[in-house]
Amino acid sequence: MHELVMLAPEPAIEALGEALDALDALSVSVEDADAMTPAESALFGEPGMPPPREGWQRSRVVALFPEESAAREAARLLALQDFFEGCQVLGVQTVAEQDWVRLTQSQFEPVEITPSFWIVPSWHEPPAQAREIIRLDPGLAFGTGTHPTTHMCLRWIATHRPTGARVLDYGCGSGILAIGAGRFGARDIVAVDIDPAAVEATRVNASTNGVSLQAGLPDQAQGVFDVVLANILATPLKVLAPLLCQHVGPSGHLVLAGILSRQVDELREAYAPWLALQVHDEQDGWVLMTSRRPD
């Protein structure tokens, strides 16, 4: 494999990316050319904020090609285009051979939820102190236990131990929360998501962990539950407020994540007609909000 490396200003990024796609680049990555310097700038948006720009003021663009000749021909053709003004080819370089499977695996270590509860990829042995584990490998669906929102939800499950409970995981992703509930004694688990790939991932991951559950699209969530878990984002959580609350049975818990600290008040307001939300946990700028319905 060979990389064509370029420097480009922000206005050229979109056209440059489209051109590289037309030139059959295998992949294109855009990085801050000033990263790790005083000129570095944050670019990524957050829920409720303006969308991120196409690139940085000075972006390093790396396009991957299967052959050196293809990379050099792409550089030649790009230099002839009007939009390439202000851009610069830094060079073509060979990509060193690597064991990509091992490299990917090295990025995922066991994750501690509590001192005795761990998320462990299949290629690792569980830590000696682990008394409860979930076996989970990174895949197409969100949720490996590393993100603060997932971490807080799992910590809530581990400390509240929903033994014998009926549990709904709404927006299940990889199924990690539903599986966690099963590992801590939930008797009847329903996991739903709008993405069929997430539903399939949940079924596979649940089987791997010996957890019995029903996984399907959102219309499979019927009736009331002792615990309703939803780790999504603030905007869909606000839209789903009446639906999620109607699934919470008497004495039932509602557990919400995917909420930034600055979004707490708007979530409280959205759920106030049905349940009173409180901040239960906070980690790295994200919060876990919970409520319990009276008997």
Side-chain angles (χ1 to χ4, degrees), residues 27-50:
S27 68
V28 178
S29 64
V30 181
E31 308 163 357
D32 186 357
D34 297 312
M36 308 301 290
T37 75
E40 180 178 11
S41 62
L43 180 65
F44 299 104
E46 295 177 341
M49 299 291 286

Side-chain angles (χ1 to χ4, degrees), residues 6 41 61 79 119 180 197 205 227 237 246 255:
M6 294 162 286
S41 62
V61 180
I119 311 301
N205 291 331
V227 178
L237 284 175
Q246 77 178 22
V255 181

Side-chain angles (χ1 to χ4, degrees), residues 257-280:
I259 305 161
L260 294 164
S261 299
R262 61 177 173 78
Q263 296 170 323
V264 165
D265 289 341
E266 59 189 275
L267 264 294
R268 279 202 182 107
E269 182 179 350
Y271 281 77
W274 302 279
L275 290 169
L277 288 177
Q278 301 296 327
V279 174
H280 178 83

Side-chain angles (χ1 to χ4, degrees), residues 199-264:
V199 173
E200 182 58 26
T202 293
R203 289 173 179 152
V204 171
N205 291 331
S207 176
T208 298
N209 286 277
V211 170
S212 177
L213 53 73
Q214 301 174 56
L217 299 177
D219 59 4
Q220 290 203 14
Q222 301 291 331
V224 296
F225 297 81
D226 303 302
V227 178
V228 174
L229 304 158
N231 179 17
I232 316 176
L233 285 172
T235 298
L237 284 175
K238 288 190 290 185
V239 173
L240 290 168
L243 175 67
L244 294 177
C245 289
Q246 77 178 22
H247 284 307
V248 182
S251 300
H253 294 272
L254 177 65
V255 181
L256 305 178
I259 305 161
L260 294 164
S261 299
R262 61 177 173 78
Q263 296 170 323
V264 165

Side-chain angles (χ1 to χ4, degrees), residues 17-31:
E18 291 176 352
L20 287 165
D21 182 55
L23 290 167
D24 295 326
L26 299 177
S27 68
V28 178
S29 64
V30 181
E31 308 163 357

